[in-house]
Amino acid sequence: MKVARRRFDTLVIGAGGGGLRAALQLSQAEANVAVVSKVFPTRSHTVAAQGGINAALGNVLPDSWHWHMYDTVKGSDYLGDQDAIEYMCRAAAHLVYELEHAGVPFSRLEDGRIYQRPFGGQSQNFGGEQAARTCAAADRTGHAILHTLYQQNIRAKTHFFDEYFAVDLIKDDEGFVLGALVLEIETGEPLLIEAKTTLIATGGAGQLFRTNTNAHINTGDGMAMVLRAGLPLQDMEFFQFHPTGIAGKGMLITEGARGEGGYLINKDGERFMERYAPKARDLASRDVVSRAIAIEVREGRGCGPDGDHVLLKLDHLGEETVHKRLPGICEMARIFLGIDPAEQPIPVYPTAHYTMGGIPTDRFGRVVVPVDSGEEAIPGLYAAGECACVSVHGANRLGGNSLLDIVVFGRAAANDIIKFLRENRYHRPLAQDGVDAALAHLARWDRKTGSESVAALRAELQAVMEEYCGVFRTAEVLEQGLDKVLELKARLDDAVLTDHSRVFNTARIEALELENLMDLAVATVTSALARQESRGAHSRVDFPERDDQRWLKHTLFYREGRRLDYKPVRMKPLTVEPFPPRERVY
Amino acid sequence: MRFRIYRYNPETDTAPRMQDYEVEGLEPTMMLRDALLRIKAQDETLSFRHSCGEGVCGSDGMNINGRNGLACITPLGELKEPVVVRPLPGLPVVRDLVVDMSRFWHHYRSVRPYLIVHDPVPEVEFRQLPAHRDRLDGLYECILCACCTTSCPSFWWNPERFRGPAALLQAYRFLADSRDQETESRLDELDGPYRLFRCHTIMNCAAVCPKGLNPTKAIHAIKKLMVEHAI
Ligand SMILES: Cc1cc2nc3c(=O)[nH]c(=O)nc-3n(C[C@H](O)[C@H](O)[C@H](O)COP(=O)(O)OP(=O)(O)OC[C@H]3O[C@@H](n4cnc5c(N)ncnc54)[C@H](O)[C@@H]3O)c2cc1C
Ligand code: SF4
Ligand code: SF4
Ligand code: FES
């Protein structure tokens, strides 16, 4: 089959903070780069990030990148790769200054330096006093960063394909990735983008769960594309539940609210985090706080007529602080709850938030797979941002570390791509088989018979994931969950669209997204069922302890035969001494 | 609840039409986007953009009972029935509630919406006093939803030459930034009868902005700067 083609040095799939940071670096290096995004770049979900980005600037309290590294390793429950973590924490200050120079309107201290606030899991001196490491633009840091990066890309004349949906990667027999088949949403026409290197930066998959803080578009497309290309996904069992989503609705209330001095109470008005984390209290790691809230509710100390949430109290901070430092939260509370948080507490409950797992990469952003002697990079393929698993977050991400992750590894990947382009000057011949397979995948949705609806299946999948793969897990529940997910996946074969038009057919896009979600759900539940321990966000009631003997290793899930494999955690940092696993207390 | 929705698919329709829908089980605290999603679950052919669901991504600007707004933060309880939903006015319709935003983006790009600094950059951050940073409040929060520009009569009449409130707000966002060093040329670019001066202070823009921003005020501030710089 014939299809229109375009050629670039580099294809970047995704225009969130990760994709845009990479694109900027590439455009500035005069690489010929195409950025494909299924929504206009500033609609990407980075825009929703609130609290801030971590870097040990030490503007407010003493700090060092090494303490940041310690906190990140501990926060990851020792599943993070320490070389990548060292690299990220060392690079952080520079990357934040760069963002500031590019125009990010950070909030300021009296002397004009960048404002920083305390966030969960941050300490001075390797586990000492609370640190203040999160650089903030009020509570709209993601918006500020995303818009600034987009703006600088306009200046650098990056080539954008706005509202194009990436369907599948194109690979040749030798395993080189040659670009991707994309769909122009406005016309419904497929387009083949050939590139010497492809960077996937498609963000997370929060839409796996019914109640989530993520945008409708966060369907993990890039991760699923990688699975379909026969490559594995790493650590998919680790999904972060943010402690403070608006109860029942899911919109996020930033950890910065607690960073500014807010705290959680149960129905007795008790500041219950004191019992779970005597030192860090409300600023313990997210996995710890989410479990505490779930336990409070389960044991009958929840608030409201149904006792199904707890309250986040901010009214003691004074109107000035609440309105000045958390304007976005105030707006959200007014619109969705009709309350002013400076006067009334906010009902909250743990909500699906962040995909710790993803496409396995090294700290250069190269997608890697295990081979006998260790790991090997897939030539031409890169991943960065929430879709990737470097892994700097391990089993639990610290707040403020994701915005950092996306810019640090977006840039690192771009730098490696520039090197790769210097050594690989020519496009490889196109693999027609790969193109045909991708076109066939797309054509599947032209079928006119079937009885299932995409919207209904998506809703069922989300409900199943929430019920069978949530904050607390057991073998029994996960096994049921796996059966259900597989059954839903089988039913997807029988799904049919009633709209087969070309122009701006969002029904077709949602069908493609649902296919992606299905594969990711299978990956998540399968990985979770296999891991018989509790670590970070993966909390097994039947295996309540962390088991470093058996499980200090990364999971790899392959789509073919739902095969699992494992690889060691990189415990050796680049220059400093390793942080060996210790008991994790806050 | 009853809805009348603008429908147009260029592949099958010769002209736009209004289609009525009835949706059961909606609550007044639900948002218009929730209702549209229910409708889409029944009738897949309805196309509209949306994403974040919380008023931060700017995808779902549309004309709701005659007024531009974001579907995701418009509570159903505030809407008179039947709720009449149309695409944003003043831009070509691609399909149903989806408009072609090219012209809007063109004007946005035209104001050079990025910080330009010529001084060598320091090792650390540029210092910016809180009072200077405060000047960016009410400007940097713009989510580019186009609700303002597409409600502006001056834009309807001069869509090619008048930059429109959203782009002008962004122009001022960089003029107001103490770090930016292109004030003169930015002001020069906006001079002349159309780009800026077509604004007749009709104020529709400020009235509809879902983020509570005030482009009219920004436009005034630019005019004031121009006067200051002329002398
Ligand atoms: C509500 C909320 C608040 C947060 N607050 C913070 C915070 O304060 N600090 C912090 O560090 N982190 C925070 N996070 C996490 C952080 O914002 C995200 O992890 C990060 O922004 C992800 O960036 P990204 O570039 O990887 O992906 P995204 O910003 O999600 O971008 C993904 C891009 O990929 C594109 N794309 C996806 N699929 C396709 C496809 N098939 N074809 C074409 N394009 C595609 C999309 O269009 C988009 O451009 C928050 C997250 C949420 C949800
Ligand atoms: S104030 Fe100016 S920009 Fe705003 S709607 Fe009126 S004419 Fe348009
Ligand atoms: S100024 Fe307001 S209405 Fe206009 S584009 Fe920005 S957010 Fe939308
Ligand atoms: S869906 Fe993002 S602004 Fe409404």
Side-chain angles (χ1 to χ4, degrees):
Chain A
M1 212 165 119
K2 275 272 238 220
V3 54
R5 289 194 203 179
R6 296 285 300 271
R7 275 189 165 189
F8 292 88
D9 287 340
T10 292
L11 167 62
V12 176
I13 308 177
L20 289 181
R21 183 62 191 79
L24 186 59
Q25 193 84 1
L26 290 160
S27 287
Q28 286 170 346
E30 304 199 345
N32 176 14
V33 47
V35 181
V36 168
S37 172
K38 63 179 172 178
V39 293
F40 185 80
T42 62
R43 319 282 191 226
S44 305
H45 204 52
T46 295
V47 82
Q50 301 171 351
I53 174 168
N54 293 341
L57 307 184
N59 284 1
V60 172
L61 293 171
D63 211 348
S64 96
W65 69 263
H66 202 189
W67 303 346
H68 182 189
M69 176 180 174
Y70 167 82
D71 290 339
T72 304
V73 173
K74 176 180 171 190
S76 80
D77 220 347
Y78 300 91
L79 194 71
D81 289 324
Q82 298 196 17
D83 57 341
I85 295 176
E86 177 176 343
Y87 178 79
M88 176 177 84
C89 297
R90 271 180 180 276
H94 179 68
L95 268 286
V96 167
Y97 292 140
E98 243 176 32
L99 286 172
E100 196 276 337
H101 298 156
V104 173
F106 282 110
S107 301
R108 300 289 171 156
L109 298 164
E110 283 311 315
D111 64 4
R113 288 179 304 157
I114 294 172
Y115 171 74
Q116 295 189 281
R117 59 164 56 112
F119 244 53
Q122 301 181 347
S123 73
Q124 303 180 42
N125 242 320
F126 312 106
E129 296 291 295
Q130 175 73 41
R133 189 174 295 142
T134 306
C135 310
D139 57 357
R140 299 190 171 102
T141 316
H143 168 98
I145 290 176
L146 184 71
H147 280 252
T148 299
L149 287 174
Y150 178 61
Q151 291 161 347
Q152 290 297 338
N153 270 289
I154 295 179
R155 187 181 189 185
K157 302 201 166 56
T158 302
H159 193 104
F160 283 97
F161 288 89
D162 298 333
E163 300 190 322
Y164 280 68
F165 185 93
V167 179
D168 271 316
L169 297 170
I170 307 296
K171 251 173 69 178
D172 68 13
D173 294 342
E174 283 172 63
F176 278 79
V177 172
L178 311 177
L181 183 79
V182 305
L183 180 73
E184 180 178 14
I185 298 175
E186 184 173 327
T187 60
E189 292 300 325
L191 171 70
L192 183 63
I193 299 190
E194 283 184 79
K196 297 175 218 167
T197 56
T198 301
L199 169 67
I200 306 177
T202 47
Q207 287 297 326
L208 279 172
F209 298 88
R210 180 171 52 186
T211 314
N212 66 69
T213 65
N214 280 206
H216 194 79
I217 59 168
N218 287 17
T219 48
D221 301 345
M223 300 181 207
M225 282 163 55
V226 160
L227 279 182
R228 279 196 299 273
L231 304 171
L233 291 183
Q234 181 175 329
D235 294 341
M236 289 301 285
E237 63 271 40
F238 297 101
F239 204 96
Q240 179 164 77
F241 292 83
H242 194 291
T244 58
I246 294 183
K249 299 187 188 245
M251 296 83 188
L252 181 79
I253 303 298
T254 173
E255 193 164 292
R258 282 169 284 138
E260 295 290 343
Y263 57 82
L264 298 162
I265 52 174
N266 60 19
K267 79 163 194 248
D268 307 319
E270 185 205 8
R271 189 170 177 183
F272 59 87
M273 277 314 298
E274 291 177 340
R275 273 189 280 120
Y276 296 89
K279 202 163 77 189
R281 298 188 291 186
D282 297 83
L283 287 178
S285 245
R286 287 184 178 169
D287 54 337
V288 176
V289 182
S290 282
R291 274 193 293 274
I293 296 174
I295 292 171
E296 288 300 298
V297 165
R298 205 168 57 185
E299 294 183 351
R301 292 186 295 276
C303 306
D306 301 322
D308 57 359
H309 60 263
V310 297
L311 293 173
L312 172 61
K313 198 171 129 52
L314 294 170
D315 55 344
H316 57 287
L317 298 177
E319 204 179 298
E320 163 98 20
T321 303
V322 177
H323 289 176
K324 172 105 192 159
R325 295 292 181 209
L326 304 165
I329 292 310
C330 293
E331 197 180 314
M332 203 99 80
R334 178 173 52 72
I335 293 170
F336 290 100
L337 297 165
I339 62 168
D340 178 355
E343 285 168 9
Q344 263 174 283
I346 308 174
V348 293
Y349 195 73
T351 303
H353 182 58
Y354 184 84
T355 320
M356 261 88 66
I359 305 164
T361 69
D362 61 15
R363 71 189 148 82
F364 307 102
R366 298 182 297 201
V367 175
V368 289
V369 289
V371 290
D372 298 338
S373 52
E375 286 189 325
E376 194 177 81
I378 303 291
L381 188 61
Y382 292 78
E386 192 169 336
C387 67
C389 186
V390 183
S391 153
V392 285
H393 309 304
N396 172 66
R397 169 176 79 91
L398 293 187
N401 263 359
S402 175
L403 288 176
L404 180 61
D405 168 8
I406 65 179
V407 293
V408 167
F409 293 104
R411 186 186 69 147
N415 283 336
D416 203 79
I417 287 172
I418 292 165
K419 229 175 78 200
F420 183 95
L421 290 174
R422 259 190 241 122
E423 291 155 14
N424 297 269
R425 292 181 169 271
Y426 304 103
H427 284 88
R428 295 172 63 84
L430 193 65
Q432 192 58 39
D433 288 357
V435 181
D436 290 343
L439 286 169
H441 171 199
L442 201 54
R444 177 259 174 264
W445 291 103
D446 293 337
R447 229 159 57 195
K448 299 220 165 66
T449 53
S451 53
E452 299 280 356
S453 105
V454 169
L457 283 174
R458 175 164 169 154
E460 275 190 62
L461 177 69
Q462 292 177 325
V464 164
M465 287 299 287
E466 186 152 304
E467 193 173 340
Y468 296 92
C469 201
V471 177
F472 290 110
R473 301 163 173 182
T474 62
E476 196 192 339
V477 169
L478 287 165
E479 272 159 15
Q480 289 172 17
L482 183 60
D483 287 346
K484 295 202 184 270
V485 170
L486 291 174
E487 186 193 311
L488 285 167
K489 193 173 144 124
R491 281 168 58 195
L492 183 61
D493 281 342
D494 197 31
V496 65
L497 292 177
T498 49
D499 182 2
H500 294 99
S501 58
R502 298 278 133 198
V503 175
F504 225 100
N505 183 339
T506 53
R508 177 184 292 125
I509 297 299
E510 298 213 6
L512 293 164
E513 290 175 339
L514 179 63
E515 289 179 324
N516 293 335
L517 284 174
M518 282 291 178
D519 276 338
L520 297 180
V522 175
T524 304
V525 183
T526 307
S527 305
L529 180 59
R531 186 174 282 272
Q532 297 178 331
E533 65 157 353
S534 289
R535 183 186 297 272
H538 177 65
S539 187
R540 286 284 297 257
V541 179
D542 44 355
F543 297 96
E545 301 298 324
R546 192 177 80 199
D547 181 353
D548 291 328
Q549 215 61 34
R550 292 176 58 215
W551 290 104
L552 185 59
K553 57 187 179 186
H554 294 296
T555 308
L556 294 173
F557 171 91
Y558 293 81
R559 186 168 183 262
E560 183 77 44
R562 284 183 276 129
R563 182 164 68 88
L564 290 174
D565 193 1
Y566 293 90
K567 69 174 185 183
V569 176
R570 280 202 290 270
M571 303 299 288
K572 198 173 156 354
L574 299 172
T575 65
V576 294
E577 288 296 307
F579 293 109
R582 280 205 289 171
E583 199 196 342
R584 191 160 156 260
V585 279
Y586 284 100
Chain B
M1 214 171 159
R2 285 174 303 125
F3 298 86
R4 304 204 73 180
I5 301 182
Y6 179 101
R7 299 301 311 269
Y8 174 65
N9 181 343
E11 289 166 80
T12 48
D13 300 327
T14 44
R17 60 199 158 87
M18 298 300 288
Q19 185 167 348
D20 289 326
Y21 293 95
E22 179 95 47
V23 188
E24 304 286 325
L26 295 172
E27 311 271 339
T29 53
M30 288 172 125
M31 301 294 166
L32 176 59
R33 184 181 82 126
D34 300 320
L36 292 174
L37 286 171
R38 294 265 182 105
I39 293 172
K40 189 164 174 72
Q42 297 166 18
D43 176 1
E44 252 171 32
T45 66
L46 174 66
S47 280
F48 57 100
R49 293 186 177 105
H50 70 103
S51 180
C52 70
E54 53 184 47
V56 299
C57 77
S59 298
D60 59 345
M62 50 189 78
N63 188 270
I64 307 159
N65 280 347
R67 193 187 149 96
N68 291 352
L70 299 173
C72 66
I73 53 170
T74 301
L76 292 171
E78 286 175 10
L79 298 174
K80 206 171 92 253
E81 288 183 61
V83 182
V84 181
V85 188
R86 296 171 168 277
L88 288 174
L91 293 173
V93 175
V94 174
R95 171 178 177 171
D96 300 338
L97 301 175
V98 177
V99 291
D100 177 353
M101 299 272 287
S102 318
R103 186 162 280 156
F104 180 80
W105 301 128
H106 164 77
H107 287 302
Y108 172 66
R109 281 194 297 269
S110 300
V111 302
R112 292 194 292 162
Y114 38 80
L115 190 74
I116 304 176
V117 182
H118 300 300
D119 291 347
V121 291
E123 284 278 295
V124 293
E125 67 268 60
F126 291 116
R127 299 269 176 133
Q128 185 175 49
L129 296 176
H132 290 164
R133 167 60 184 77
D134 283 351
R135 290 186 200 150
L136 306 181
D137 283 339
L139 304 172
Y140 85 96
E141 302 94 321
C142 171
I143 59 173
L144 302 173
C145 64
C147 285
C148 56
T149 297
T150 59
S151 71
C152 167
S154 295
F155 180 75
W156 298 339
W157 296 321
N158 298 284
E160 269 150 45
R161 289 186 286 183
F162 178 47
R163 294 268 174 256
L168 292 170
L169 186 91
Q170 285 310 300
Y172 187 59
R173 181 247 171 274
F174 290 96
L175 284 164
D177 197 318
S178 58
R179 298 168 293 180
D180 191 82
Q181 298 182 317
E182 280 285 318
T183 307
E184 297 294 332
S185 68
R186 289 183 190 280
L187 289 174
D188 285 349
E189 280 165 12
L190 291 173
D191 212 353
Y194 282 99
R195 292 176 177 175
L196 171 78
F197 284 94
R198 278 293 123 164
C199 169
H200 298 304
T201 325
I202 308 169
M203 294 283 280
N204 283 7
C205 54
V208 299
C209 175
K211 304 306 282 182
L213 311 180
N214 188 340
T216 320
K217 206 169 125 202
I219 292 167
H220 270 294
I222 300 178
K223 288 180 181 166
K224 210 169 127 225
L225 270 180
M226 281 180 168
V227 174
E228 282 167 22
H229 278 258
I231 21 180

